[in-house]
Amino acid sequence: MTAIGALLTAIGLLAALVARAGVAAAARGGGVAGHLQLLLTLIALLLGLRLANFALPSPFFVAFTMVVAAWLPLATLRLAEELVRRHAPRWLKLLALFGAIGFSVLAVTFGIVWTGAAIIALALFQAAVMAALLVHLVSQRSAVSLAERRAVDMLALAFALAVPLLATDFARLFPDLPFRGGPFAALVFVLACSRLAGEASRPLRLLGDIVIIAGAGGIVALGAKLMGAADPVTLALSATAAGAAALALLVERFADPASRAEGLLPPIAKAGHEEAAILAAHPLLASGVPVTAATLADLPDDLIAALAAKSVVCAAEGGAIDTLTGAARELLSRYGASHLLRLSQHPPRFLAISGGALNQDRLTSELTIVARLLERAP
């Protein structure tokens, strides 16, 4: 690793730690945020080990860097499963699990002297799992709410952009590069993580972030060339500027509470007591789709009554898939919703709401409180 590579790795490490801290509160509830925090932890650990090996070269750091790299595909696969709430094919799970175990054993035994063949095998293993999980994300995206679908598309885009960058980390495959793309792959991914909450979960928003950091690098490169800097210096300055711009975006986004999705309760606390005022108090509720008894005519009366007995129906509810659960999921899929908020039990009326994946547990709790307020609304 060169000095510029070490600097970019340090920027990527800081970005991963900022993003990890940013999702820590949501991760306490598990789910998507929990798996996301685990993946960010592994990314930070990987980058930290690379920096440590640059400062104090040691076979120990090399071996454990490969151990962490071997487990990244499995952690990424688990995040993808949570995003679409669907299990990946069994063969893919076994490939990711046994690949992680196999390469870990190799890394701490014969891999102390890491051979070219083993590195190529690890690269192919990572690429195969990532390609398969991208197919899983795309094929299952229609099963989740509209907001979650945007998050899936955005992370699929992030993965697709990160894979070619990660491939450049394998020096035996690309020996002549001035620096590696791994830190930039980490930056692309954590930028996507920073946009997971709320309406910001859109692929175009992520592309906008990438345009900003590419623009920062381009401006610095232009300035360096105008000043007569050599090509290696220009490239190093441009890459550093792009990385610094990405880090600045992340710090600003996670440090500013106003940039995160606002909870339902603060604006509702300021609203009137009528049902219309409560539902108009927050954009998430105002954009919900009414579901009336007339639109439920194709369901048996007993199923409708059972659904109406619940104040909130959530797509992420566990338990066995019985007839009631199947009916709830069918309704959620029909309206592209993550939750059904009960407006009244008699007659049965709901509001189909499309919430994001990152703060789903908090949203479910807040919607339960909203449902109780609506029960008392005139």
Side-chain angles (χ1 to χ4, degrees):
M1 183 189 297
T2 62
I4 182 61
L7 177 58
L8 293 175
T9 300
I11 292 174
L13 172 59
L14 288 174
L17 292 175
V18 168
R20 186 185 184 282
V23 302
R28 285 194 285 269
V32 171
H35 288 285
L36 182 58
Q37 187 183 47
L38 173 61
L39 184 54
L40 289 169
T41 301
L42 290 176
I43 291 173
L45 184 58
L46 179 68
L47 295 174
L49 285 168
R50 286 180 175 174
L51 275 179
N53 188 60
F54 174 75
L56 297 170
S58 166
F60 172 84
F61 291 134
V62 173
F64 279 93
T65 297
M66 295 303 171
V67 170
V68 176
W71 286 93
L72 274 173
L74 181 61
T76 308
L77 178 61
R78 290 293 297 119
L79 174 63
E81 288 184 319
E82 284 291 327
L83 278 170
V84 295
R85 296 192 296 276
R86 295 292 186 276
H87 287 289
R90 183 177 178 83
W91 66 265
L92 180 55
K93 289 185 175 184
L94 292 176
L95 173 64
L97 176 60
F98 287 112
I101 294 173
F103 281 106
S104 297
V105 172
L106 180 61
V108 298
T109 55
F110 301 104
I112 294 295
V113 182
W114 203 254
T115 65
I119 287 183
I120 292 174
L122 177 60
L124 292 175
F125 162 67
Q126 290 182 323
V129 175
M130 293 294 287
L133 75 86
L134 277 174
V135 172
H136 180 64
L137 280 175
V138 173
S139 64
Q140 300 295 329
R141 61 185 295 279
S142 61
V144 296
S145 71
L146 177 60
E148 292 170 313
R149 202 173 304 151
R150 290 169 178 161
V152 168
D153 292 344
M154 185 183 64
L155 282 185
L157 173 62
F159 290 148
L161 293 173
V163 167
L165 293 170
L166 283 172
T168 65
D169 276 3
F170 294 90
R172 291 181 182 271
L173 297 178
F174 303 95
D176 300 324
L177 295 178
F179 53 83
R180 304 297 161 185
F184 285 106
L187 288 171
V188 169
F189 181 74
V190 296
L191 280 170
C193 295
S194 72
R195 290 198 170 279
L196 267 181
E199 291 299 312
S201 295
R202 296 172 184 266
L204 285 179
R205 298 285 182 89
L206 176 60
L207 289 176
D209 289 342
I210 293 173
V211 168
I212 289 173
I213 64 176
I219 291 172
V220 170
L222 178 61
K225 291 300 291 183
L226 291 175
M227 295 176 65
D231 288 344
V233 175
T234 299
L235 185 60
L237 290 174
S238 176
T240 303
L247 181 59
L249 282 175
L250 286 163
V251 171
E252 184 276 334
R253 193 164 295 154
F254 281 116
D256 181 11
S259 68
R260 304 181 193 181
E262 184 183 36
L264 293 177
L265 300 184
I268 287 176
K270 303 173 185 177
H273 299 291
E274 299 80 11
E275 177 182 296
I278 293 174
L279 295 181
H282 192 280
L284 190 65
L285 298 177
S287 62
V289 179
V291 181
T292 63
T295 59
L296 299 173
D298 58 325
L299 294 179
D301 292 340
D302 57 336
L303 276 181
I304 296 175
L307 287 172
K310 297 185 175 184
S311 57
V312 176
V313 178
C314 177
E317 289 180 347
I321 301 183
D322 52 18
T323 304
L324 177 61
T325 305
R329 290 185 177 178
E330 194 280 330
L331 274 178
L332 291 167
S333 178
R334 182 186 302 180
Y335 291 96
S338 61
H339 296 76
L340 292 177
L341 171 66
R342 186 181 68 196
L343 300 179
S344 67
Q345 190 169 0
H346 304 290
R349 291 188 304 124
F350 301 92
L351 189 69
I353 295 170
S354 179
L358 191 59
N359 293 308
Q360 191 168 94
D361 290 338
R362 186 190 73 177
L363 177 59
T364 302
S365 299
E366 292 185 345
L367 286 176
T368 302
I369 296 174
V370 172
R372 292 174 181 172
L373 292 174
L374 291 172
E375 290 175 357
R376 296 169 173 79

